[in-house]
Amino acid sequence: ALRLGQSGAKRFFGSEPENRSVTWYVSATASRKLLASRDWRNDGGDCRPPDSEFVLRLSAEEKNDRSGPLGKRRRATKRLLVDCEWKLEDSDTVSRILQEHRNMVAALQNHEGLPRRSLIICNTVAKACALLDSLRAARKDGPYPSEVVLLHSRFRRPDRDAALMRLKGGSVGPAGQIVISTQVIEAGVDISSAILWSEVAPLASVVQRLGRLNRAGEFGFDGAVVSAWTPAAYMLGLGNVRKPARESEQAAKKRVADNTKRSAPYDWMECESSIDTLAPVQDASPASLETALVGPLAAALKPPVGALQRHELLDLFDTDSNLSLAYTDASPFVRGSDRETDVYVLWRTWDDSLPPFGGDIGANELCPVPIGGIQHFGNRWRGFVWLGRERGWQRVNNRNLYPGATLLLPTTAGGYTPTDGWTGREPDNAIPDLYQLPPLPSDDDLLSVIDGPWQSIERHTLRVRKALEQILDELGIEKGNPVRTAMLQAVLWHDFGKVHDDWQSEVERVAREAQVALVESEKPFAKFSLAKSPRVLAATGEARRASVYGLKNLFRPGLRHEVASALALRQHHRAAGREPSSFDLLAEFIVMSHHGRVRKVLRNEIPKKPHAGQPGCEEVRGIVEGTTLRPVTVDGHTLSAGPLSIECRQVGRCRDGSEGWTRGILRLLEEFGPLRLAYCEALFRAADQRVSIPTDKDPAP
């Protein structure tokens, strides 16, 4: 177990000694080297200062445990046999697997509690599917009573979940279960087997795979067994050719190319090293491997290529698009399918020539398929590619079928079965259509879109303050804490910008359009309701739905009120000519960010279709240089602002020497860190949401 050290994280992540946050990294193949990011890398290793709390290992007492759950797992009896002359593609592979499986089932006849399971782990999906076909063909030559489960990454989610349920259900029949899988079973799948067949893989992967054999020591431990069967792991070769004593340059290139192809998706030299390391190992229990593989594992484990750096974490904190209209790419830090090589395929039924669907594509419908597999699938020409809401579904062609695309096929096109996943074959039967119509909201839910309480700025502000104080009290953030003080100051100013003439006049215009009477006693308005509009009350069904969203979309004040509020608070802090404190900046940040539109950068949204009449340089988010806001009294405090300046949107410092918005937020990030800022923002947002629902539906604390 590797625990993130406090020395480097305390200031950046905001953890305090009395209430520090800890991050754990736990793995069967853990190493400090895995945390050797670019900031802490030295000759391929981790150069952090020695810290007894940084790497946690088993104690001497735990290592000596021989009868408890931990001892049984560490000392689980497992034989390891490495036979690199034998590979999955050999003609006798299936017969050998079936014979060994039958021997195991026979040996466990009188042991109902032990899993009669053979687990076969292939390095690629293609090999796993080919082995399944070979097992099915064996039916022609003899009895084939065992249940077979296929598991790989080319499944739709519900079908993959069904396969996992068959593994975890514990209902393995008398004839046992044969599981064919890829490396997806290495992590996150808690099953145990009596026999493990695995192709050679890098050493860390092999250790993970061995953990699926006699996983909890249920077959026996410490070299003993509880039945006539000893759990065994068979490590099979890939057909790689070793370097001969003499070899021409051309022959060497061919050998390397062939070995690279056979070892995919792994590095062939890592696979060769794994063979050499495992060949003398016979006891594959974790306790034995801990000693036998400590050196080779340390050499094999490499520092991560895509380690999240501090500046990248700060980029992820920003929600503004960049100059290319894109956002910070999080994919290097997310484990999942490779969007550079996959197409996402779904199957549906429709009658017309063009699909009558919009872009409501459910995650359960999608199957990731390698681009090469699609290009060799003849029925792809019957499909359509989703090109966004403006262009919709377009007939597939060589230009729009690219990695990352979403391909819609009719259910009769084939290429997939619920038990085998993606096959790329012509259809035997229609593929089940998993499309589900998005649930329509009830009438009450519909009305809640436009049914907020009529509230003045003062009334709403006081309600938010009360809700936030309750949250902070429950969390133990007591009075006198400067963070609490900053957040309560943010409450006071957060909706002040709604006093803007354009915002108030837009409320009145929309109310007239909806034929709703204004509640004059709540001026200046902070919240309003259109639920009693005759346009809504007179409609039913789809017509009511259209009326509700039509009214909701009427409100277009043309400005971001929170930007005006934050600029006013910024002006208030600088009225005395002093540099604001970090807690002043925190209050400004919370006001500016509480609707998620602006965080690090204060600028207009970049238009995707620029045209004449776009806001010029003297306007940002609808706020014009020199904007004035009428005073508002809240609980005896008069909020006011002179002509607002938007100069702080620029990089660096303003003409008067004060720091710009981005410069101040970077200073704030340096002191508080992104996680504490996000936490404060979330608490504030929760309080604001609690009081924005109708007054007769106040939420429970």
Side-chain angles (χ1 to χ4, degrees), residues 181-233:
S181 180
T182 59
Q183 54 266 45
V184 298
I185 208 167
E186 290 179 13
V189 181
D190 186 13
I191 67 168
S192 184
S193 61
I195 308 175
L196 171 67
W197 312 81
S198 172
E199 289 191 290
V200 168
L203 198 57
S205 292
V206 172
V207 172
Q208 296 283 6
R209 296 177 184 188
L210 288 171
R212 271 69 192 161
L213 177 68
N214 191 16
R215 185 164 177 78
E218 64 269 35
F219 287 93
F221 57 94
D222 229 357
V225 291
V226 298
S227 67
W229 180 258
T230 300

Side-chain angles (χ1 to χ4, degrees), residues 101-315:
H101 180 79
R102 294 184 186 115
N103 293 342
M104 176 266 294
V105 170
L108 298 179
Q109 276 186 349
N110 299 321
H111 297 271
E112 293 297 328
L114 299 179
R116 299 174 174 84
R117 180 180 291 120
S118 292
L119 174 59
I120 310 165
I121 304 180
C122 309
N123 287 353
T124 66
V125 176
K127 288 184 179 181
C129 294
L131 181 61
L132 178 66
D133 291 340
S134 299
L135 280 172
R136 285 173 173 163
R139 286 178 172 175
K140 302 176 182 178
D141 303 324
Y144 186 65
S146 300
E147 177 191 21
V148 178
V149 180
L150 178 65
L151 187 65
H152 54 70
S153 60
R154 309 299 182 187
F155 276 98
R156 297 185 296 189
R157 184 182 297 173
D159 298 328
R160 182 180 177 183
D161 289 346
L164 288 172
M165 287 302 297
R166 293 171 65 189
L167 299 186
K168 298 179 179 180
S171 57
V172 177
Q177 184 184 68
I178 298 177
V179 179
I180 304 174
S181 180
T182 59
Q183 54 266 45
V184 298
I185 208 167
E186 290 179 13
V189 181
D190 186 13
I191 67 168
S192 184
S193 61
I195 308 175
L196 171 67
W197 312 81
S198 172
E199 289 191 290
V200 168
L203 198 57
S205 292
V206 172
V207 172
Q208 296 283 6
R209 296 177 184 188
L210 288 171
R212 271 69 192 161
L213 177 68
N214 191 16
R215 185 164 177 78
E218 64 269 35
F219 287 93
F221 57 94
D222 229 357
V225 291
V226 298
S227 67
W229 180 258
T230 300
Y234 297 92
M235 204 62 54
L236 312 183
L238 302 170
N240 288 352
V241 178
R242 294 276 183 160
K243 182 180 180 179
R246 300 181 62 182
E247 184 180 34
S248 67
E249 182 178 352
Q250 184 176 2
K253 289 182 178 180
K254 183 179 185 305
R255 176 178 58 82
V256 170
D258 290 344
N259 287 350
T260 300
K261 184 177 180 180
R262 295 188 189 100
S263 301
Y266 301 117
D267 181 274
W268 71 274
M269 295 186 68
E270 290 186 19
C271 293
E272 293 296 317
S273 175
S274 182
I275 292 173
D276 294 338
T277 301
L278 294 170
V281 177
Q282 296 181 348
D283 181 358
S285 67
S288 173
L289 296 181
E290 181 182 345
T291 302
L293 303 184
V294 59
L297 264 179
L301 294 173
K302 296 184 176 67
V305 176
L308 182 66
Q309 301 298 295
R310 173 175 176 154
H311 69 90
E312 291 164 332
L313 179 60
L314 294 180
D315 284 343

